[in-house]
Structures are given as structure tokens and as C-alpha cells.
């Protein structure tokens, strides 16, 4: 945080809870719990306050999200320095637009590591591991493009790469070859046949066959 201050960098940083912060956040957490019990609906209440831990050089703006649902309390605390023409952003806007979007970016990194094999770096040489990572990245790009364009508005709009690979790309087929060509015959009982055909139609304007 001191580095960001010195270089004029705005930051949104998650903050671990402690007894002091829990005491400050207590009243709003109790309010969220009460409203959840009364309405039987998830509650999200926001506030902000100035706070300085013992090792900090000064007070900083802390945003508190008091969340409560059927599973119990779900509090979040973040430190934020974002301003809009000198006016601090609203607490909920910072949390929803900046902090939560950070989590979505982490999901995309995890998706590539887990489902597209980007974490396979067991070779003894750097070049081999780097090449594996490049192959994973090359694979991720068309899947992300497919999800953003051809699958927009479908049941796979927000599907992970592994779901798209298993449900849309791994289809049972019989491959028949002749002297002049090879023809794959896809399974007629494929449960997502309509979605597959729709995806192909959406991709046709973007694919050049020569």
C-alpha cells in the first residue's frame, strides 16, 4: 500500500479481519442478519470507514460488505483508494465493479490451469515447460472466443472450458475414410444436437473454407 501511495497507483486490496475490525463491523452485520431473518432473502449492506492497522503509516479507507444469507454471515473487508475526479467512489460500486471482477479474472486463470493443463510443467527444461504453456494458451483463445460469440445467450454462455470441451467438442462419431476423403458421422442421439447446430451456424460467417 505504501508503494502504491508513493507512485500514485489506486488499489483495491482484500483485508483480513481482526478483533478491532469485527467490533467496527458488528452493528452492520447484526442489521444484515436481522433483515435476512425477516425477509428470508440474502442481504448485502455496505459502509466505509477510516482505519489504520498498527503497522500502517496512516489511516486508509476501508469498505465493509455486511452479507448474510441462509448459510450464515458472509462479511468482506477491502481497502480502496479509488476516486472519481477527487470524489471517492461509492462503497458498493467499488466492491461490485472492481473487487468482484478481480475474482472473475482469477477464475479464468484457474480455468486454464485446471482444465486446459497449463500447470503441467514437470519437464526439467524451461523451454519444454514454456512450450506446454503456449499450447495451453493457444487452446484457451478459441474456447474463450467460442464462449463469447457462438455460445452467447445459450446454456453454455458461462460454462467453464472443461464443460464446453466435454459437452460440445467431445462427441461420439464414426469415421469413414475413402480414397478421396474422410467423413465423420456424428451420433444422432447426441443430447445437445440443437445447440451444436446453432453454434455451427453462428460460426459459419467467421470461417473461410478454401
Amino acid at each position: 500500500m505504501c508503494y502504491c501511495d508513493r507512485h500514485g497507483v489506486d488499489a483495491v486490496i482484500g483485508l483480513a479481519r481482526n478483533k478491532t475490525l469485527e467490533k467496527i463491523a458488528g452493528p452492520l452485520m447484526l442489521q444484515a442478519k436481522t433483515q435476512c431473518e425477516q425477509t428470508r432473502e440474502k442481504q448485502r449492506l455496505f459502509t466505509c470507514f477510516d482505519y489504520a492497522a498498527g503497522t500502517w503509516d496512516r489511516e486508509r479507507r476501508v469498505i465493509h460488505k455486511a452479507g448474510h444469507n441462509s448459510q450464515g454471515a458472509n462479511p468482506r473487508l477491502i481497502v480502496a483508494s479509488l476516486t472519481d475526479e477527487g470524489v471517492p467512489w461509492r462503497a458498493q460500486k467499488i466492491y461490485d465493479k472492481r473487487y468482484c471482477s478481480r475474482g472473475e479474472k482469477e477464475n479464468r486463470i484457474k480455468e486454464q490451469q485446471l482444465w486446459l493443463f497449463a500447470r503441467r510443467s514437470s519437464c526439467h527444461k524451461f523451454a519444454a515447460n514454456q512450450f506446454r504453456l503456449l499450447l495451453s494458451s493457444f487452446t484457451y483463445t478459441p474456447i474463450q472466443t467460442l464462449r463469447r460469440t457462438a455460445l452467447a445467450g445459450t446454456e453454455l454462455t458461462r460454462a467453464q472450458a472443461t464443460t464446453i470441451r466435454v459437452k460440445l467438442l467431445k462427441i461420439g462419431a464414426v469415421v469413414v475414410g475413402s480414397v478421396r476423403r474422410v467423413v465423420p458421422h456424428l451420433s444422432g442421439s447426441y443430447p445437445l444436437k440443437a445447440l451444436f447446430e446453432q453454434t455451427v451456424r453462428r460460426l459459419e460467417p467467421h470461417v473461410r473454407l478454401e
Side-chain angles (χ1 to χ4, degrees):
M1 289 186 287
C2 292
Y3 176 89
C4 292
D5 291 341
R6 290 196 303 269
H7 293 82
V9 176
D10 284 324
V12 179
I13 304 171
L15 185 62
R17 287 176 287 168
N18 57 39
K19 291 183 179 180
T20 301
L21 288 171
E22 289 177 351
K23 183 177 180 180
I24 297 173
L28 195 64
M29 289 298 301
L30 179 59
Q31 182 181 344
K33 178 181 178 181
T34 302
Q35 291 182 192
C36 180
E37 292 173 347
Q38 292 174 346
T39 62
R40 302 295 181 181
E41 296 179 353
K42 180 176 69 174
Q43 298 295 316
R44 294 198 317 157
L45 306 178
F46 293 86
T47 189
C48 59
F49 52 86
D50 293 330
Y51 168 78
T55 57
W56 294 6
D57 60 334
R58 65 177 180 85
E59 288 188 337
R60 289 180 169 84
R61 186 183 183 217
V62 173
I63 292 174
H64 172 218
K65 186 212 76 171
H68 203 95
N69 54 32
S70 59
Q71 304 300 317
N74 183 28
R76 288 290 186 276
L77 292 161
I78 60 176
V79 180
S81 60
L82 293 174
T83 60
D84 187 2
E85 297 182 354
V87 179
W89 283 23
R90 295 192 309 274
Q92 183 173 353
K93 180 180 178 183
I94 291 177
Y95 184 86
D96 290 340
K97 300 297 183 181
R98 290 292 183 265
Y99 184 72
C100 291
S101 63
R102 180 268 313 158
E104 182 62 20
K105 292 179 178 67
E106 289 182 354
N107 288 338
R108 302 284 71 78
I109 296 172
K110 181 174 67 175
E111 183 178 44
Q112 184 173 354
Q113 289 179 331
L114 296 180
W115 312 127
L116 297 177
F117 318 110
R119 63 178 181 176
R120 286 189 177 179
S121 55
S122 56
C123 292
H124 296 291
K125 294 186 178 181
F126 173 83
N129 291 324
Q130 181 67 9
F131 183 65
R132 283 183 171 184
L133 181 59
L134 287 174
L135 291 178
S136 173
S137 300
F138 290 151
T139 304
Y140 182 82
T141 300
I143 287 183
Q144 173 63 12
T145 303
L146 182 69
R147 179 166 47 198
R148 189 181 65 251
T149 56
L151 296 178
T154 70
E155 62 186 272
L156 297 182
T157 301
R158 298 182 60 83
Q160 292 186 349
T162 183
T163 303
I164 295 174
R165 183 164 57 89
V166 171
K167 288 190 173 183
L168 194 66
L169 304 180
K170 293 182 68 174
I171 306 173
V174 175
V175 180
V176 178
S178 65
V179 177
R180 300 182 57 187
R181 61 181 181 174
V182 176
V183 180
H185 297 274
L186 301 181
S187 171
S189 59
Y190 171 49
L192 295 180
K193 179 180 178 180
L195 176 60
F196 183 87
E197 292 175 344
Q198 176 182 327
T199 303
V200 172
R201 287 195 299 269
R202 287 184 174 183
L203 290 175
E204 282 178 349
H206 307 286
V207 178
R208 292 183 59 186
L209 299 177
E210 297 181 357

